[in-house]
Amino acid sequence: MKRNNLASSYRDPSGFVFEKDGEVFRQINKTYQEDYALLVNSGLYKALVRKGLLIPHKEIGGRVIKPIQIPFISYPYEWCFSQLKDAALLTLEIQKISLEHGMSLKDATSFNIQFYKGKPTFIDTLSFEKYKKGVPWVAYRQFCEQFLAPLALMVYKDARLSQMLIPGVGSIPLDLTAKLLPFAAKLNPTLLLHIFAQAKSQKIRNNLSLKNNSKTVGMSLNAMRELINNLESAIKNLKLPRENTVWSSYYSEEDKINNYSSRAMKSKKDLVKKYLKQVKPKLVWDAGANDGTFSQISAGIGAFTLSFDNDYAVVESNYLRVKKNKETKILPLFIDLVKPSPGIGWNLEERSSFFDRSIPDVILALALIHHLAIANNLPLVMLANFFAEHTRNLIIEFVPKEDSQVKLLLTLREDIFPYYDQDNFELEFSKYFFIKEKAKIAGSNRVIYLMKSKLQK
């Protein structure tokens, strides 16, 4: 199989990432050899790997390294607030340790972070350069645009503003951030300095038609450390206001919201676990995962699980639980199946769309079909085709019209869904799937199916 250079690394003059035989490698260019040698010989690489901050790699010759493979590449606009915050703090911690070893991060993009074994990990081995005495941190503005700005907007305005990172390809301009933030944000001294003052300073430089003049302004090593500490304090002090949504209490108020008695919930869990064990998946997508209740089942049998939802509050609580319990096989993400992350950047290839990044062994579509078919007007045949294209196996829960949740949806709109019933569901899905098994959830009118795609190997 020939080597495939990845579009995500075309901007880096130090090297590039490529894929061969389904595995990821990194080529180190000659221009970066001196800095790479310093990274290794200074002890910085060893120190970061030992602390679990940097992804380890093997040198395989010809200036090529092979990092440990990440199960799934996610992007900052798919993370909840606490994920982005932890990624920001990781970046600053790495910069502090780098300075102790005579090096500095030459960039501070959030795309250099991936979640590995439940926690953020730095993946760009070529982001380190020799520290130059008196030169300010060249990645300072980038850090503010990719971490501090979106975090501040999420805290002071709305958590959904992290989606502004999509059109900005990971960045939110500081001048725009300053305009969007309320006056109360100016009362925060660190935001006043790192966002408002920096935005104003940049505007002045642009008006004077000056290029980046950071090299003309000296900064001592101690001053740089103070800058990093100040940014760290600013990030730590940002707290997301608690927000309760209908879905954030879906599994905690039995019989009031989720329509499951204890008996029904146990039956559903048992069926999902049974079907998962039959398939023996390595990668699972739990679509509409809520707080990750069923993601924990798939992770429990050894499958790496993307646990995604379109409700920020439940993604946040899901991640905080994963972090607290040190779970290593669940990655909570903010993904809306109806409008998932698109391909963005140069030629729409710099950052891949969500569906282009993997084909899971199983998709869990539990308590989801009625939201897609009724709330979003998606015909059953389109849903069947969609799932068959994106997974090898499907564990799906059919929720009939007699269910209280469907009745609730239909109180808000006219019932224009005469074909939404179990017979038509099976008819349309059998066009794209082999229906392997089905079982009614005890104490419920809902049915769980195990299906195998006719479109996937």
Side-chain angles (χ1 to χ4, degrees):
M1 186 179 295
K2 70 175 185 178
R3 189 171 77 177
N4 175 38
N5 292 358
L6 301 186
S8 59
S9 65
Y10 79 94
R11 297 177 189 268
D12 189 0
S14 301
F16 57 89
V17 179
F18 65 91
E19 193 176 68
K20 185 177 181 181
D21 298 329
E23 295 186 303
V24 175
F25 301 83
R26 187 181 290 273
Q27 174 77 46
I28 303 172
N29 291 340
K30 288 184 178 180
T31 55
Y32 190 72
Q33 283 297 298
E34 185 176 337
D35 282 321
Y36 177 73
L38 181 59
L39 172 67
V40 174
N41 296 333
S42 68
L44 176 57
Y45 168 79
K46 187 176 181 179
L48 294 177
V49 169
R50 185 175 63 250
K51 291 176 177 288
L53 306 180
L54 174 66
I55 202 76
H57 67 255
K58 292 182 179 179
E59 296 183 356
I60 62 174
R63 301 198 309 275
V64 174
I65 60 176
K66 181 183 177 182
I68 283 181
Q69 307 296 288
I70 302 293
F72 183 82
I73 298 297
S74 62
Y75 298 139
Y77 41 82
E78 297 167 343
W79 302 341
C80 66
F81 172 82
S82 292
Q83 285 173 304
L84 186 60
K85 179 176 179 177
D86 286 348
L89 293 173
L90 170 72
T91 302
L92 295 175
E93 183 178 2
I94 288 176
Q95 174 64 358
K96 290 199 291 186
I97 297 173
S98 297
L99 293 174
E100 294 173 1
H101 290 78
M103 300 199 79
S104 178
L105 286 174
K106 61 182 179 179
D107 55 62
T109 171
S110 51
F111 291 110
N112 281 346
I113 311 293
Q114 287 299 320
F115 282 81
Y116 178 62
K117 294 186 176 180
K119 63 180 183 178
T121 306
F122 201 81
I123 64 166
D124 191 355
T125 314
L126 311 189
S127 279
F128 303 88
E129 66 178 3
K130 183 178 181 180
Y131 168 72
K132 300 176 182 65
K133 185 177 180 180
V135 176
W137 189 27
V138 295
Y140 168 55
R141 184 182 175 202
Q142 184 183 48
F143 179 88
C144 292
E145 290 182 335
Q146 298 211 1
F147 289 110
L148 186 59
L151 287 171
L153 287 169
M154 293 172 81
V155 169
Y156 283 91
K157 296 294 287 186
D158 194 295
R160 291 169 293 183
L161 288 180
S162 66
Q163 295 298 284
M164 289 176 61
L165 292 168
I166 295 178
V169 195
S171 297
I172 302 179
L174 296 182
D175 61 332
L176 177 59
T177 303
K179 291 177 182 178
L180 293 175
L181 285 173
F183 178 78
K186 290 186 177 182
L187 302 180
N188 182 321
T190 52
L191 296 185
L192 183 62
L193 171 64
H194 299 300
I195 292 181
F196 293 98
Q198 192 179 175
K200 184 175 182 180
S201 175
Q202 184 63 36
K203 183 177 180 180
I204 292 173
R205 288 199 296 270
N206 289 341
N207 290 340
L208 293 174
S209 299
L210 295 176
K211 294 183 178 180
N212 187 338
N213 62 353
S214 62
K215 291 186 178 180
T216 65
V217 181
M219 175 178 279
S220 68
L221 180 58
N222 284 337
M224 186 182 292
R225 285 172 174 156
E226 288 178 6
L227 172 69
I228 303 303
N229 288 336
N230 191 268
L231 285 169
E232 186 177 55
S233 176
I235 299 293
K236 286 181 177 179
N237 287 331
L238 289 174
K239 309 290 183 184
L240 191 68
R242 181 174 175 80
E243 181 181 2
N244 289 320
T245 65
V246 171
W247 307 116
S248 63
S249 56
Y250 186 73
Y251 286 122
S252 63
E253 296 184 30
E254 183 181 298
D255 288 326
K256 295 181 181 179
I257 295 177
N258 61 41
N259 208 36
Y260 295 113
S261 63
S262 297
R263 179 187 175 207
M265 178 57 75
K266 182 181 185 305
S267 174
K268 181 174 176 177
K269 288 180 177 180
D270 289 343
L271 286 169
V272 170
K273 188 173 184 178
K274 173 188 173 184
Y275 293 159
L276 283 169
K277 283 186 173 181
Q278 288 184 32
V279 177
K280 298 178 181 178
K282 293 182 179 179
L283 176 63
V284 172
W285 288 3
D286 187 358
N290 200 269
D291 64 359
T293 294
F294 291 90
S295 300
Q296 293 174 68
I297 295 175
S298 61
I301 66 168
F304 182 79
T305 304
L306 299 187
S307 183
F308 58 88
D309 204 285
N310 66 352
D311 185 302
Y312 271 101
V314 299
V315 178
E316 176 77 12
S317 62
N318 193 1
Y319 172 69
L320 292 177
R321 190 207 71 250
V322 166
K323 180 179 177 180
K324 178 182 178 181
N325 297 338
K326 298 182 179 180
E327 299 173 27
T328 61
K329 289 187 174 292
I330 297 178
L331 175 57
L333 293 175
F334 174 80
I335 298 289
D336 187 340
L337 277 186
V338 178
K339 42 181 185 292
S341 306
I344 61 173
W346 178 251
N347 202 29
L348 301 182
E349 295 177 340
E350 192 174 347
R351 305 297 167 189
S352 302
S353 72
F354 177 71
F355 293 126
D356 285 340
R357 282 174 256 162
S358 72
I359 295 289
D361 300 304
V362 175
I363 288 181
L364 297 178
L366 307 173
L368 181 65
I369 188 72
H370 54 304
H371 294 290
L372 296 175
I374 294 178
N376 289 281
N377 280 36
L378 290 167
L380 290 174
V381 66
M382 289 181 63
L383 291 170
N385 184 24
F386 165 81
F387 283 117
E389 286 183 345
H390 294 295
T391 187
R392 298 179 180 90
N393 300 277
L394 177 67
I395 298 175
I396 187 168
E397 177 181 7
F398 182 75
V399 184
K401 278 189 177 180
E402 296 75 27
D403 190 273
S404 63
Q405 287 297 300
V406 179
K407 287 181 179 179
L408 179 61
L409 288 176
L410 291 174
T411 61
L412 305 174
R413 60 175 308 167
E414 180 184 356
D415 186 353
I416 56 173
F417 310 98
Y419 301 107
Y420 183 83
D421 58 42
Q422 188 172 347
D423 289 340
N424 276 298
F425 169 80
E426 292 183 5
L427 175 65
E428 299 297 2
F429 271 75
S430 65
K431 295 176 181 178
Y432 295 94
F433 286 92
F434 300 104
I435 298 179
K436 308 294 287 185
E437 287 192 38
K438 67 177 181 178
K440 190 173 183 180
I441 297 174
S444 169
N445 56 7
R446 300 184 178 195
V447 181
I448 301 282
Y449 292 81
L450 171 62
M451 303 183 183
K452 183 176 178 60
S453 173
K454 295 179 179 180
L455 304 184
Q456 303 289 340
K457 293 182 180 179

